[in-house]
């Protein structure tokens, strides 16, 4: 199978969703994308691992980076895709339709179609976005080819309901550990129960009231949550260890170091190990090119709560926004589904802006 980039964005979305590409398993889809893009004479194609870059070199005054990840969270009986209808409106249902293969499909189609865009374009399709930051294909590429990231503006096709979402919250993960003493549960009083000792951690997290923080006029909502808990030895053993994994999503006005200090403060008295942290991104919507983009696609800017790779561009000083089809609330959801009308609208919006002279 070779992808047909002249197909509709809907058909292309269906085709790339039906090639499963859970994080770490993107090679087949990356091969398909490379095979479809490589013959296009107007694009220089660079592959690094399972990340593919295709760029024009037309000598335009401005360059825009447009990126989409090709991996998904694990499949849960939600592939192959299906065409469904909700209240008379057509949707494409299945893993990846929202996060974010509809956005990536629109990009692939326009990459092939726009041989003479008004700006130079660096298209980027990358792997391992849904897992720890150290595996992120865009990050790995930036480490070896920072020159590919030169741009005046960046657009990530993450689901935003076809609106323009500026910036994003940062994210931090931590493991909070409790220890105890093993004993036979028939004589529990001899031991010390590490799982029971985790109860105050959970109490602090459930009592925690997250803030809303205004940054450049957009209101970012934070959260601090337990996302995993593990412990226990056997059905008759008092456990001597317990781990609670915590995820803090913080406003882009805070650095990862500020976020770490906050989490350590909330969980003071416990053994806290920070395992992963990434700064958020300021909205960046004051840049003229960002304002032109917002006006051209006719969307209202909103804050993005989830961390996305706009932060990577923002860290390089490049204003970056999310603009893609699909409801972010349905990302990672087993009933993930994208309205066909939004796929078409984002395709029209991007095409209009990229060809406006
Ligand atoms: Zn995503």
């Amino acid at each position: 199978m070779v992808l047909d980039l002249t197909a509709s964005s809907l058909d292309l979305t269906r085709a790339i969703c039906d090639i499963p590409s859970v994080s770490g398993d993107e090679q087949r889809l990356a091969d398909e994308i490379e095979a479809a893009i490589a013959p296009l004479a107007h694009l220089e194609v660079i592959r690094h691992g399972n990340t593919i870059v295709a760029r024009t070199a037309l000598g335009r005054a401005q360059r825009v980076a447009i990126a989409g990840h090709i991996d998904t969270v694990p499949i849960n009986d939600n592939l192959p895709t299906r065409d469904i209808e909700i209240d008379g409106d057509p949707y494409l249902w299945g893993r990846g339709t929202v996060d974010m293969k509809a956005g990536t499909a629109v990009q692939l189609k326009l990459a092939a179609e726009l041989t003479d865009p008004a700006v130079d374009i660096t298209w980027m399709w990358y792997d391992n976005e849904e897992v720890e930051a150290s595996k992120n294909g865009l990050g790995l590429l930036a480490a070896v080819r920072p020159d590919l990231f030169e741009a005046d503006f960046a657009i990530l096709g993450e689901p935003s309901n076809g609106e323009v979402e500026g910036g994003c919250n940062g994210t931090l993960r931590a493991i909070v550990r409790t220890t105890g003493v093993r004993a036979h549960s028939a004589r529990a009083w001899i031991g010390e129960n590490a799982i029971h000792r985790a109860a105050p951690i959970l109490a602090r997290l459930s009592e925690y009231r997250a803030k809303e923080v205004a940054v450049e006029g957009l209101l970012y909502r934070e959260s601090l949550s337990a996302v995993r808990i593990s412990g226990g030895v056997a059905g008759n053993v008092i456990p001597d260890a317990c781990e609670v994994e915590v995820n803090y999503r913080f406003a882009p006005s805070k650095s990862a170091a500020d976020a770490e200090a906050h989490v350590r403060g909330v969980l003071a008295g416990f053994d806290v190990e920070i395992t992963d942290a990434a700064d958020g991104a300021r909205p960046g919507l004051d840049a003229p090119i960002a304002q032109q983009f917002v006006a051209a696609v006719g969307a209202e800017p909103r804050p993005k709560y989830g961390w996305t790779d706009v932060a990577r561009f923002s860290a390089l000083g490049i204003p970056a926004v999310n603009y893609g089809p699909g409801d972010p609330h349905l990302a990672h959801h087993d009933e993930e589904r994208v309205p066909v009308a939004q796929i078409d609208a984002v395709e029209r919006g991007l095409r209009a802006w990229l060809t406006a002279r």
Side-chain angles (χ1 to χ4, degrees):
M1 182 189 142
V2 173
L3 296 174
D4 175 7
L5 302 186
T6 64
S8 70
S9 289
L10 171 62
D11 287 341
L12 207 46
T13 304
R14 191 183 289 117
I16 64 174
C17 286
D18 289 340
I19 301 172
S21 57
V22 176
S23 307
D25 198 16
E26 299 94 332
Q27 179 157 357
R28 188 177 148 218
L29 180 54
D31 289 349
E32 291 281 353
I33 290 172
E34 186 184 18
I37 288 288
L40 301 173
H42 65 289
L43 295 171
E44 179 201 2
V45 177
I46 299 126
R47 179 163 178 167
H48 181 256
N50 288 326
T51 294
I52 292 150
V53 176
R55 57 182 185 170
T56 63
L58 298 164
R60 301 284 191 251
Q62 290 184 306
R63 177 173 289 279
V64 177
I66 304 181
H69 64 82
I70 63 170
D71 61 321
T72 69
V73 296
I75 296 154
N76 190 13
D77 253 341
N78 51 7
L79 280 184
T81 51
R82 290 204 304 260
D83 293 290
I84 62 167
E85 249 185 40
I86 299 175
D87 298 333
D89 296 323
Y91 284 71
L92 185 67
W93 173 98
R95 176 62 74 229
T97 52
V98 170
D99 192 6
M100 58 159 282
K101 289 183 174 177
T104 298
V106 168
Q107 295 173 3
L108 288 166
K109 180 176 176 59
L110 293 177
E113 177 191 310
L114 301 180
T115 55
D116 187 32
V119 288
D120 270 312
I121 307 173
T122 304
W123 303 96
M124 306 174 123
W125 301 291
Y126 61 102
D127 63 340
N128 278 320
E129 191 274 344
E130 299 288 4
V131 289
E132 57 268 39
S134 62
K135 293 184 178 168
N136 183 297
L138 215 49
L140 296 177
L141 181 66
V144 293
R145 290 292 306 270
D147 57 301
L148 294 177
F149 287 74
E150 280 163 23
D152 300 289
F153 184 49
I155 300 167
L156 274 289
E158 293 279 3
S160 64
N161 268 321
E163 302 292 343
V164 174
E165 295 190 332
C168 66
N169 274 341
T171 179
L172 175 146
R173 284 188 192 79
I175 304 277
V176 192
R177 293 191 174 83
T178 58
T179 55
V181 177
R182 276 194 207 187
H184 195 298
S185 59
R187 289 172 294 279
W189 55 88
I190 294 170
E192 289 173 34
N193 192 315
I195 292 179
H196 293 184
R197 286 182 174 175
I201 299 171
L202 302 180
R204 280 189 212 174
L205 294 173
S206 60
E207 285 159 15
Y208 180 83
R209 290 290 164 262
K211 292 190 193 70
E212 289 192 336
V213 183
V215 184
E216 294 172 25
L218 299 182
L219 200 59
Y220 288 85
R221 189 168 176 176
E222 299 191 326
S223 62
L224 176 64
S225 316
V227 290
R228 198 196 317 262
I229 186 161
S230 61
V233 180
N236 57 355
V237 177
I238 299 300
D240 60 346
C242 180
E243 292 187 349
V244 181
E245 186 176 4
V246 170
N247 186 207
Y248 179 39
R249 301 289 174 142
F250 54 95
S253 51
K254 294 189 174 102
S255 67
D258 296 336
E260 174 175 349
H262 182 70
V263 168
R264 289 192 183 282
V266 171
L267 297 169
F270 289 97
D271 172 17
V272 176
E273 181 196 349
I274 308 297
T275 53
D276 188 30
D279 285 320
R282 287 185 164 272
L285 292 168
D286 42 359
I289 190 169
Q291 289 175 353
Q292 286 157 15
F293 171 75
V294 170
V297 302
E300 181 73 22
R302 298 176 181 190
K304 182 81 173 175
Y305 297 129
W307 191 90
T308 81
D309 279 303
V310 298
R312 221 171 274 290
F313 290 96
S314 169
L316 296 168
I318 302 166
V321 298
N322 293 288
Y323 176 60
D327 180 348
H329 290 115
L330 291 174
H332 305 187
H333 197 288
D334 287 345
E335 299 297 326
E336 206 176 318
R337 58 194 181 264
V338 62
V340 173
Q342 280 188 12
I343 305 178
D344 293 340
V346 168
E347 180 191 325
R348 276 197 310 275
L350 272 181
R351 182 189 287 110
W353 184 63
L354 291 169
T355 57
R357 287 189 154 85

